[in-house]
Amino acid sequence: MAGVEVRFSGLSKRFGRRAVLRNVSGTARPGEVLVVTGPNGSGKSTLLNILGGLLRPSQGEVAYLADGRTVPKEEWHRHLGVCAPDLSVYEELSAVENLRFFTQVRGLRLHDRELAAVLEQLGLKGSDFFRPVKQFSSGMLQRVKLAQALVHRPEVLLLDEPSSNLDEAGHNLLKELVMAWRAQATVVVATNDPREVAWGDQVLELAH
Amino acid sequence: MNLLIESFTILRKELTSELRSRVAVSSVGLFALTTLVAVAYQIGPYRIHEQDRPHLHAALLWIIVFFAASSGLPRVFVKEEDAHTAKSLRLAARPGAVFAGKFLFNLVLLLGLEAFLVPLFAVFMGFSVANLPALVLVLVAGALGLASSATMVAAIISRATGSATLFVVLSVPLVLPMLVFLIQGTRTAATVPELSALLPSLRAVVSLTGVTLVSSAFLFPVVWHD
């Protein structure tokens, strides 16, 4: 299938004297879920930040490959959707306004109906679409963050602890979404939850 | 064309957020009002000798504008880091669009501050102007200049602790030459009716603004992503 393959090799990251990642390599392929797991502090979030281009590795490199050609780093943002605990949406804006902003700033124009459909897919109700998200519970906020990652239909989806703050129903919904998304994208999930580890076609275990 | 649309999308988001939170407007407006009232109470329109008025008025006006702006302008980037939205923005938008959107928001904020402050300053301090269009030109050029340097410095300091202090410290070398020419231009607008008298100061401010904007275009992507 077409799509974007994410190849990373020899990745290391040091913060001062502390080495967080040591010589990590792998490939996340379209149509597959790569699960990154490991104990707290093993560098799961750091790896996802590097794969998303938010952090520069101390050593090693990351390449996005589409149709055999390397995607320039300046274009990664068009292909990428990220949901992570340290990545938020605008609290003064409503859920729909947030999605509208994140699509328009990527140069896409989606009708409010399409934005609402994404929110509905994530289990939010119509009465919540136009409320400022600062009034949302943490579980609802997590759903908006997931919607923000998915709304522009990215070819690479990076999910860091995606079920944090979600209840059981939310977790099941997330599982369905990841499974559906696997068919059209390259999915990388960083998690410690054994239920989510089971989603992986490949599992990359990081050690301290 | 796309970059322009993306920049205006960021400007619209900034304006919507600001209209709902009113944090920057309140801090800039209250700082300006408090300083103006304190200065007017102590000095007022009549405690300065008439021939010294244009010099002192021009200097006081820009001191108030600069420090009031310093209380609100850095927020464009600091709030993104504080609210953990900076990463979301980094992932979604091109650096050029982010800089342009934030610059335009700071420009709107500064023009609003000047529109609010200058009439009050004229009333409280007895500030008279010989050439109103010249003063308007100086104010617009000043807003462009201060917005450009403030936006770049705000991006640099946003991830640092003690960012408010750092903003003023880092702004001084960029803003000081600009303030000198703005004060000179304001004094000229207050005393000389001919527009041509303003040209040397205006040219200097526009040149400094141009240099700041061009260097920001090269530097900002590095600052924003590292």
Side-chain angles (χ1 to χ4, degrees):
Chain A
M1 68 174 285
V4 176
E5 185 174 285
V6 181
R7 278 189 204 164
F8 49 101
S9 57
L11 290 181
S12 300
K13 181 68 187 174
R14 300 185 76 84
F15 292 105
R17 286 181 176 181
R18 203 167 73 88
V20 179
L21 280 180
R22 283 193 197 89
N23 198 25
V24 177
S25 302
T27 305
R29 295 181 189 87
E32 286 186 5
V33 177
L34 168 66
V35 170
V36 182
T37 188
N40 291 340
S42 58
K44 299 185 295 295
S45 300
T46 304
L47 177 61
L48 258 67
N49 275 326
I50 293 172
L51 296 184
L54 287 168
L55 207 57
R56 219 184 272 272
S58 307
Q59 276 184 327
E61 52 190 42
V62 181
Y64 283 27
L65 301 163
D67 302 325
R69 123 194 131 85
T70 306
V71 179
K73 200 174 175 189
E74 307 83 69
E75 288 177 23
W76 285 13
H77 72 282
R78 296 194 188 283
H79 302 278
L80 192 59
V82 182
C83 178
D86 61 344
L87 205 140
S88 199
V89 292
Y90 293 97
E91 293 200 334
E92 302 89 6
L93 305 185
S94 70
V96 165
E97 284 170 333
N98 264 294
L99 298 194
R100 194 186 297 138
F101 171 72
F102 283 111
T103 48
Q104 285 183 355
V105 90
R106 282 184 166 97
L108 302 169
R109 295 258 155 197
L110 294 185
H111 195 276
D112 278 3
R113 266 198 320 270
E114 296 168 278
L115 303 177
V118 177
L119 293 168
E120 268 169 12
Q121 204 183 357
L122 280 152
L124 287 165
K125 296 189 189 85
S127 55
D128 298 323
F129 294 173
F130 296 96
R131 279 200 294 141
V133 299
K134 68 179 164 197
Q135 297 173 5
F136 282 16
S137 69
S138 49
M140 290 163 77
L141 192 60
Q142 180 67 6
R143 288 165 195 252
V144 179
K145 284 163 72 172
L146 283 162
Q148 176 272 130
L150 298 170
V151 68
H152 55 290
R153 309 195 71 77
E155 293 156 292
V156 177
L157 188 59
L158 306 180
L159 304 174
D160 188 1
E161 296 177 27
S163 62
S164 58
N165 298 317
L166 292 183
D167 54 17
E168 199 52 38
H171 187 274
N172 292 335
L173 191 71
L174 180 66
K175 183 185 174 184
E176 282 170 28
L177 267 172
V178 170
M179 291 304 135
W181 214 259
R182 179 166 62 172
Q184 52 191 307
T186 302
V187 184
V188 182
V189 181
T191 183
N192 270 327
D193 188 328
R195 294 173 299 174
E196 289 166 18
V197 174
W199 300 345
D201 299 289
Q202 294 184 71
V203 177
L204 175 63
E205 191 152 357
L206 301 177
H208 263 304
Chain B
M1 189 62 192
N2 277 349
L3 192 71
L4 201 65
I5 294 169
E6 289 161 33
S7 308
F8 277 101
T9 301
I10 292 171
L11 170 65
R12 196 170 59 228
K13 186 270 293 175
E14 292 293 328
L15 290 171
T16 310
S17 291
E18 184 54 35
L19 280 172
R20 290 179 191 169
S21 67
R22 295 198 182 94
V23 177
V25 168
S26 308
S27 75
V28 168
L30 281 174
F31 190 102
L33 191 65
T34 311
T35 321
L36 175 61
V37 170
V39 169
Y41 182 73
Q42 276 306 310
I43 301 171
Y46 307 111
R47 290 196 190 159
I48 313 170
H49 196 279
E50 200 165 342
Q51 69 190 40
D52 295 331
R53 275 186 202 167
H55 301 265
L56 270 171
H57 282 162
L60 282 171
L61 176 66
W62 283 104
I63 288 168
I64 297 174
V65 170
F66 172 63
F67 283 103
S70 300
S71 70
L73 267 50
R75 271 189 53 78
V76 282
F77 285 107
V78 174
K79 72 175 181 186
E80 299 274 3
E81 295 294 341
D82 289 350
H84 303 290
T85 50
K87 277 189 178 180
S88 312
L89 193 58
R90 269 186 202 103
L91 282 165
R94 289 187 278 180
V98 175
F99 182 82
K102 302 282 187 184
F103 163 73
L104 288 171
F105 174 74
N106 273 346
L107 181 63
V108 170
L109 196 64
L110 268 165
L111 289 172
L113 167 68
E114 290 174 351
F116 164 74
L117 180 69
V118 174
L120 285 178
F121 188 85
V123 172
F124 281 106
M125 299 296 292
F127 174 52
S128 58
V129 182
N131 187 339
L132 189 61
L135 179 69
V136 172
L137 275 176
V138 174
L139 290 171
V140 171
L144 280 164
L146 290 180
S148 62
S149 48
T151 308
M152 189 59 208
V153 175
I156 294 170
I157 54 105
S158 61
R159 280 187 259 185
T161 45
S163 49
T165 318
L166 207 55
F167 177 82
V168 178
V169 172
L170 285 181
S171 292
V172 166
L174 271 176
V175 169
L176 197 61
M178 213 177 280
L179 279 179
V180 168
F181 289 112
L182 287 170
I183 291 167
Q184 211 171 67
T186 307
R187 195 187 62 213
T188 307
T191 51
V192 185
E194 288 82 30
L195 199 62
S196 57
L198 185 71
L199 285 179
S201 325
L202 204 59
R203 218 176 276 144
V205 175
V206 170
S207 305
L208 286 167
T209 306
V211 169
T212 310
L213 284 174
V214 170
S215 50
S216 298
F218 290 103
L219 286 174
F220 182 75
V222 181
V223 171
W224 179 236
H225 279 301
D226 287 329

PDB file of all heavy atoms in Angstrom, chain A residues 32-61:
ATOM      1  N   GLU A  32       0.760  -0.944   9.431  1.00  0.00           N
ATOM      2  CA  GLU A  32       1.210  -1.648  10.642  1.00  0.00           C
ATOM      3  C   GLU A  32       1.157  -0.725  11.853  1.00  0.00           C
ATOM      4  O   GLU A  32       1.207   0.496  11.706  1.00  0.00           O
ATOM      5  CB  GLU A  32       2.659  -2.116  10.477  1.00  0.00           C
ATOM      6  CG  GLU A  32       2.833  -3.306   9.564  1.00  0.00           C
ATOM      7  CD  GLU A  32       4.267  -3.812   9.547  1.00  0.00           C
ATOM      8  OE1 GLU A  32       5.115  -3.307  10.309  1.00  0.00           O
ATOM      9  OE2 GLU A  32       4.531  -4.720   8.760  1.00  0.00           O
ATOM     10  N   VAL A  33       1.058  -1.376  13.016  1.00  0.00           N
ATOM     11  CA  VAL A  33       1.163  -0.608  14.262  1.00  0.00           C
ATOM     12  C   VAL A  33       2.472  -1.002  14.926  1.00  0.00           C
ATOM     13  O   VAL A  33       2.725  -2.190  15.166  1.00  0.00           O
ATOM     14  CB  VAL A  33      -0.013  -0.907  15.219  1.00  0.00           C
ATOM     15  CG1 VAL A  33       0.157  -0.144  16.532  1.00  0.00           C
ATOM     16  CG2 VAL A  33      -1.345  -0.549  14.577  1.00  0.00           C
ATOM     17  N   LEU A  34       3.323   0.004  15.164  1.00  0.00           N
ATOM     18  CA  LEU A  34       4.558  -0.236  15.913  1.00  0.00           C
ATOM     19  C   LEU A  34       4.318   0.223  17.346  1.00  0.00           C
ATOM     20  O   LEU A  34       4.019   1.399  17.574  1.00  0.00           O
ATOM     21  CB  LEU A  34       5.727   0.542  15.301  1.00  0.00           C
ATOM     22  CG  LEU A  34       7.017   0.611  16.127  1.00  0.00           C
ATOM     23  CD1 LEU A  34       7.662  -0.771  16.285  1.00  0.00           C
ATOM     24  CD2 LEU A  34       8.023   1.574  15.500  1.00  0.00           C
ATOM     25  N   VAL A  35       4.407  -0.692  18.289  1.00  0.00           N
ATOM     26  CA  VAL A  35       4.223  -0.321  19.690  1.00  0.00           C
ATOM     27  C   VAL A  35       5.591  -0.162  20.341  1.00  0.00           C
ATOM     28  O   VAL A  35       6.457  -1.038  20.209  1.00  0.00           O
ATOM     29  CB  VAL A  35       3.387  -1.381  20.440  1.00  0.00           C
ATOM     30  CG1 VAL A  35       3.395  -1.114  21.943  1.00  0.00           C
ATOM     31  CG2 VAL A  35       1.955  -1.378  19.934  1.00  0.00           C
ATOM     32  N   VAL A  36       5.784   0.975  20.996  1.00  0.00           N
ATOM     33  CA  VAL A  36       7.021   1.227  21.734  1.00  0.00           C
ATOM     34  C   VAL A  36       6.683   1.089  23.204  1.00  0.00           C
ATOM     35  O   VAL A  36       5.787   1.782  23.710  1.00  0.00           O
ATOM     36  CB  VAL A  36       7.570   2.646  21.443  1.00  0.00           C
ATOM     37  CG1 VAL A  36       8.875   2.872  22.182  1.00  0.00           C
ATOM     38  CG2 VAL A  36       7.753   2.860  19.950  1.00  0.00           C
ATOM     39  N   THR A  37       7.370   0.197  23.881  1.00  0.00           N
ATOM     40  CA  THR A  37       7.056  -0.016  25.298  1.00  0.00           C
ATOM     41  C   THR A  37       8.355  -0.046  26.119  1.00  0.00           C
ATOM     42  O   THR A  37       9.455  -0.067  25.562  1.00  0.00           O
ATOM     43  CB  THR A  37       6.219  -1.309  25.466  1.00  0.00           C
ATOM     44  OG1 THR A  37       5.778  -1.395  26.809  1.00  0.00           O
ATOM     45  CG2 THR A  37       7.015  -2.554  25.112  1.00  0.00           C
ATOM     46  N   GLY A  38       8.196  -0.023  27.410  1.00  0.00           N
ATOM     47  CA  GLY A  38       9.358   0.002  28.296  1.00  0.00           C
ATOM     48  C   GLY A  38       9.013   0.704  29.587  1.00  0.00           C
ATOM     49  O   GLY A  38       7.989   1.406  29.655  1.00  0.00           O
ATOM     50  N   PRO A  39       9.845   0.535  30.611  1.00  0.00           N
ATOM     51  CA  PRO A  39       9.526   1.148  31.901  1.00  0.00           C
ATOM     52  C   PRO A  39       9.579   2.680  31.846  1.00  0.00           C
ATOM     53  O   PRO A  39      10.099   3.241  30.873  1.00  0.00           O
ATOM     54  CB  PRO A  39      10.626   0.608  32.819  1.00  0.00           C
ATOM     55  CG  PRO A  39      11.719   0.173  31.921  1.00  0.00           C
ATOM     56  CD  PRO A  39      11.098  -0.220  30.632  1.00  0.00           C
ATOM     57  N   ASN A  40       9.045   3.324  32.880  1.00  0.00           N
ATOM     58  CA  ASN A  40       9.099   4.788  32.948  1.00  0.00           C
ATOM     59  C   ASN A  40      10.553   5.253  32.844  1.00  0.00           C
ATOM     60  O   ASN A  40      11.440   4.674  33.457  1.00  0.00           O
ATOM     61  CB  ASN A  40       8.533   5.291  34.279  1.00  0.00           C
ATOM     62  CG  ASN A  40       7.039   5.065  34.358  1.00  0.00           C
ATOM     63  OD1 ASN A  40       6.377   4.885  33.341  1.00  0.00           O
ATOM     64  ND2 ASN A  40       6.508   5.058  35.568  1.00  0.00           N
ATOM     65  N   GLY A  41      10.762   6.297  32.047  1.00  0.00           N
ATOM     66  CA  GLY A  41      12.117   6.839  31.906  1.00  0.00           C
ATOM     67  C   GLY A  41      12.963   6.105  30.881  1.00  0.00           C
ATOM     68  O   GLY A  41      14.154   6.399  30.735  1.00  0.00           O
ATOM     69  N   SER A  42      12.356   5.161  30.159  1.00  0.00           N
ATOM     70  CA  SER A  42      13.163   4.417  29.180  1.00  0.00           C
ATOM     71  C   SER A  42      13.268   5.159  27.843  1.00  0.00           C
ATOM     72  O   SER A  42      13.992   4.713  26.951  1.00  0.00           O
ATOM     73  CB  SER A  42      12.577   3.015  28.967  1.00  0.00           C
ATOM     74  OG  SER A  42      11.240   3.120  28.537  1.00  0.00           O
ATOM     75  N   GLY A  43      12.549   6.264  27.698  1.00  0.00           N
ATOM     76  CA  GLY A  43      12.715   7.102  26.503  1.00  0.00           C
ATOM     77  C   GLY A  43      11.632   6.934  25.447  1.00  0.00           C
ATOM     78  O   GLY A  43      11.836   7.337  24.299  1.00  0.00           O
ATOM     79  N   LYS A  44      10.458   6.420  25.851  1.00  0.00           N
ATOM     80  CA  LYS A  44       9.376   6.218  24.872  1.00  0.00           C
ATOM     81  C   LYS A  44       8.921   7.569  24.283  1.00  0.00           C
ATOM     82  O   LYS A  44       8.843   7.723  23.069  1.00  0.00           O
ATOM     83  CB  LYS A  44       8.169   5.522  25.529  1.00  0.00           C
ATOM     84  CG  LYS A  44       8.452   4.144  26.088  1.00  0.00           C
ATOM     85  CD  LYS A  44       7.202   3.476  26.599  1.00  0.00           C
ATOM     86  CE  LYS A  44       6.587   4.183  27.791  1.00  0.00           C
ATOM     87  NZ  LYS A  44       7.424   4.164  29.010  1.00  0.00           N
ATOM     88  N   SER A  45       8.637   8.519  25.183  1.00  0.00           N
ATOM     89  CA  SER A  45       8.165   9.835  24.712  1.00  0.00           C
ATOM     90  C   SER A  45       9.266  10.552  23.948  1.00  0.00           C
ATOM     91  O   SER A  45       8.989  11.230  22.937  1.00  0.00           O
ATOM     92  CB  SER A  45       7.718  10.701  25.895  1.00  0.00           C
ATOM     93  OG  SER A  45       6.674  10.057  26.577  1.00  0.00           O
ATOM     94  N   THR A  46      10.513  10.403  24.408  1.00  0.00           N
ATOM     95  CA  THR A  46      11.638  11.042  23.710  1.00  0.00           C
ATOM     96  C   THR A  46      11.730  10.493  22.287  1.00  0.00           C
ATOM     97  O   THR A  46      11.907  11.257  21.328  1.00  0.00           O
ATOM     98  CB  THR A  46      12.950  10.763  24.481  1.00  0.00           C
ATOM     99  OG1 THR A  46      12.777  11.223  25.816  1.00  0.00           O
ATOM    100  CG2 THR A  46      14.131  11.458  23.846  1.00  0.00           C
ATOM    101  N   LEU A  47      11.576   9.182  22.131  1.00  0.00           N
ATOM    102  CA  LEU A  47      11.633   8.569  20.801  1.00  0.00           C
ATOM    103  C   LEU A  47      10.520   9.126  19.909  1.00  0.00           C
ATOM    104  O   LEU A  47      10.770   9.490  18.750  1.00  0.00           O
ATOM    105  CB  LEU A  47      11.526   7.043  20.908  1.00  0.00           C
ATOM    106  CG  LEU A  47      11.502   6.282  19.577  1.00  0.00           C
ATOM    107  CD1 LEU A  47      12.780   6.511  18.772  1.00  0.00           C
ATOM    108  CD2 LEU A  47      11.300   4.793  19.787  1.00  0.00           C
ATOM    109  N   LEU A  48       9.299   9.222  20.460  1.00  0.00           N
ATOM    110  CA  LEU A  48       8.198   9.757  19.649  1.00  0.00           C
ATOM    111  C   LEU A  48       8.429  11.224  19.273  1.00  0.00           C
ATOM    112  O   LEU A  48       8.114  11.642  18.161  1.00  0.00           O
ATOM    113  CB  LEU A  48       6.855   9.587  20.375  1.00  0.00           C
ATOM    114  CG  LEU A  48       6.026   8.406  19.828  1.00  0.00           C
ATOM    115  CD1 LEU A  48       6.699   7.082  20.132  1.00  0.00           C
ATOM    116  CD2 LEU A  48       4.614   8.434  20.347  1.00  0.00           C
ATOM    117  N   ASN A  49       8.991  11.989  20.225  1.00  0.00           N
ATOM    118  CA  ASN A  49       9.311  13.391  19.921  1.00  0.00           C
ATOM    119  C   ASN A  49      10.339  13.481  18.798  1.00  0.00           C
ATOM    120  O   ASN A  49      10.266  14.372  17.947  1.00  0.00           O
ATOM    121  CB  ASN A  49       9.846  14.105  21.167  1.00  0.00           C
ATOM    122  CG  ASN A  49       8.730  14.629  22.045  1.00  0.00           C
ATOM    123  OD1 ASN A  49       7.682  15.039  21.548  1.00  0.00           O
ATOM    124  ND2 ASN A  49       8.932  14.611  23.344  1.00  0.00           N
ATOM    125  N   ILE A  50      11.311  12.564  18.806  1.00  0.00           N
ATOM    126  CA  ILE A  50      12.322  12.561  17.736  1.00  0.00           C
ATOM    127  C   ILE A  50      11.676  12.142  16.411  1.00  0.00           C
ATOM    128  O   ILE A  50      11.912  12.758  15.376  1.00  0.00           O
ATOM    129  CB  ILE A  50      13.512  11.633  18.104  1.00  0.00           C
ATOM    130  CG1 ILE A  50      14.288  12.221  19.295  1.00  0.00           C
ATOM    131  CG2 ILE A  50      14.448  11.440  16.917  1.00  0.00           C
ATOM    132  CD1 ILE A  50      15.360  11.305  19.860  1.00  0.00           C
ATOM    133  N   LEU A  51      10.836  11.120  16.456  1.00  0.00           N
ATOM    134  CA  LEU A  51      10.173  10.662  15.219  1.00  0.00           C
ATOM    135  C   LEU A  51       9.268  11.744  14.636  1.00  0.00           C
ATOM    136  O   LEU A  51       9.077  11.826  13.426  1.00  0.00           O
ATOM    137  CB  LEU A  51       9.350   9.390  15.479  1.00  0.00           C
ATOM    138  CG  LEU A  51      10.122   8.136  15.896  1.00  0.00           C
ATOM    139  CD1 LEU A  51       9.183   6.936  16.022  1.00  0.00           C
ATOM    140  CD2 LEU A  51      11.250   7.810  14.929  1.00  0.00           C
ATOM    141  N   GLY A  52       8.705  12.587  15.511  1.00  0.00           N
ATOM    142  CA  GLY A  52       7.832  13.675  15.047  1.00  0.00           C
ATOM    143  C   GLY A  52       8.590  14.935  14.655  1.00  0.00           C
ATOM    144  O   GLY A  52       7.991  15.910  14.228  1.00  0.00           O
ATOM    145  N   GLY A  53       9.914  14.922  14.838  1.00  0.00           N
ATOM    146  CA  GLY A  53      10.726  16.084  14.468  1.00  0.00           C
ATOM    147  C   GLY A  53      10.705  17.184  15.505  1.00  0.00           C
ATOM    148  O   GLY A  53      11.146  18.301  15.242  1.00  0.00           O
ATOM    149  N   LEU A  54      10.177  16.880  16.695  1.00  0.00           N
ATOM    150  CA  LEU A  54      10.109  17.902  17.744  1.00  0.00           C
ATOM    151  C   LEU A  54      11.395  17.967  18.555  1.00  0.00           C
ATOM    152  O   LEU A  54      11.615  18.914  19.308  1.00  0.00           O
ATOM    153  CB  LEU A  54       8.942  17.606  18.690  1.00  0.00           C
ATOM    154  CG  LEU A  54       7.556  17.879  18.123  1.00  0.00           C
ATOM    155  CD1 LEU A  54       6.490  17.275  19.009  1.00  0.00           C
ATOM    156  CD2 LEU A  54       7.317  19.363  17.963  1.00  0.00           C
ATOM    157  N   LEU A  55      12.206  16.953  18.429  1.00  0.00           N
ATOM    158  CA  LEU A  55      13.449  16.878  19.206  1.00  0.00           C
ATOM    159  C   LEU A  55      14.536  16.375  18.270  1.00  0.00           C
ATOM    160  O   LEU A  55      14.290  15.477  17.455  1.00  0.00           O
ATOM    161  CB  LEU A  55      13.233  15.881  20.356  1.00  0.00           C
ATOM    162  CG  LEU A  55      14.033  16.025  21.624  1.00  0.00           C
ATOM    163  CD1 LEU A  55      13.852  17.393  22.243  1.00  0.00           C
ATOM    164  CD2 LEU A  55      13.583  14.949  22.631  1.00  0.00           C
ATOM    165  N   ARG A  56      15.712  16.968  18.377  1.00  0.00           N
ATOM    166  CA  ARG A  56      16.830  16.544  17.550  1.00  0.00           C
ATOM    167  C   ARG A  56      17.577  15.418  18.260  1.00  0.00           C
ATOM    168  O   ARG A  56      17.901  15.580  19.445  1.00  0.00           O
ATOM    169  CB  ARG A  56      17.768  17.736  17.385  1.00  0.00           C
ATOM    170  CG  ARG A  56      18.381  17.886  16.024  1.00  0.00           C
ATOM    171  CD  ARG A  56      19.342  19.054  16.077  1.00  0.00           C
ATOM    172  NE  ARG A  56      18.698  20.314  15.786  1.00  0.00           N
ATOM    173  CZ  ARG A  56      18.567  20.802  14.559  1.00  0.00           C
ATOM    174  NH1 ARG A  56      19.011  20.119  13.530  1.00  0.00           N
ATOM    175  NH2 ARG A  56      18.013  21.973  14.349  1.00  0.00           N
ATOM    176  N   PRO A  57      17.856  14.298  17.600  1.00  0.00           N
ATOM    177  CA  PRO A  57      18.608  13.244  18.293  1.00  0.00           C
ATOM    178  C   PRO A  57      20.067  13.653  18.465  1.00  0.00           C
ATOM    179  O   PRO A  57      20.593  14.420  17.662  1.00  0.00           O
ATOM    180  CB  PRO A  57      18.490  12.048  17.349  1.00  0.00           C
ATOM    181  CG  PRO A  57      18.264  12.642  16.003  1.00  0.00           C
ATOM    182  CD  PRO A  57      17.521  13.927  16.214  1.00  0.00           C
ATOM    183  N   SER A  58      20.716  13.126  19.529  1.00  0.00           N
ATOM    184  CA  SER A  58      22.146  13.396  19.702  1.00  0.00           C
ATOM    185  C   SER A  58      22.934  12.632  18.634  1.00  0.00           C
ATOM    186  O   SER A  58      23.972  13.089  18.169  1.00  0.00           O
ATOM    187  CB  SER A  58      22.610  12.956  21.094  1.00  0.00           C
ATOM    188  OG  SER A  58      21.794  13.534  22.079  1.00  0.00           O
ATOM    189  N   GLN A  59      22.440  11.465  18.270  1.00  0.00           N
ATOM    190  CA  GLN A  59      23.038  10.668  17.194  1.00  0.00           C
ATOM    191  C   GLN A  59      21.925   9.941  16.445  1.00  0.00           C
ATOM    192  O   GLN A  59      20.851   9.715  17.003  1.00  0.00           O
ATOM    193  CB  GLN A  59      23.985   9.625  17.775  1.00  0.00           C
ATOM    194  CG  GLN A  59      25.381  10.162  18.041  1.00  0.00           C
ATOM    195  CD  GLN A  59      26.308   9.075  18.535  1.00  0.00           C
ATOM    196  OE1 GLN A  59      25.874   8.165  19.231  1.00  0.00           O
ATOM    197  NE2 GLN A  59      27.569   9.178  18.191  1.00  0.00           N
ATOM    198  N   GLY A  60      22.237   9.543  15.231  1.00  0.00           N
ATOM    199  CA  GLY A  60      21.273   8.762  14.465  1.00  0.00           C
ATOM    200  C   GLY A  60      20.387   9.635  13.599  1.00  0.00           C
ATOM    201  O   GLY A  60      20.489  10.862  13.638  1.00  0.00           O
ATOM    202  N   GLU A  61      19.538   8.999  12.819  1.00  0.00           N
ATOM    203  CA  GLU A  61      18.678   9.785  11.932  1.00  0.00           C
ATOM    204  C   GLU A  61      17.300   9.154  11.711  1.00  0.00           C
ATOM    205  O   GLU A  61      17.120   7.946  11.911  1.00  0.00           O
ATOM    206  CB  GLU A  61      19.359  10.048  10.604  1.00  0.00           C
ATOM    207  CG  GLU A  61      19.904   8.825   9.912  1.00  0.00           C
ATOM    208  CD  GLU A  61      20.786   9.216   8.717  1.00  0.00           C
ATOM    209  OE1 GLU A  61      21.578  10.176   8.854  1.00  0.00           O
ATOM    210  OE2 GLU A  61      20.649   8.557   7.678  1.00  0.00           O
TER     211      GLU A  61
END
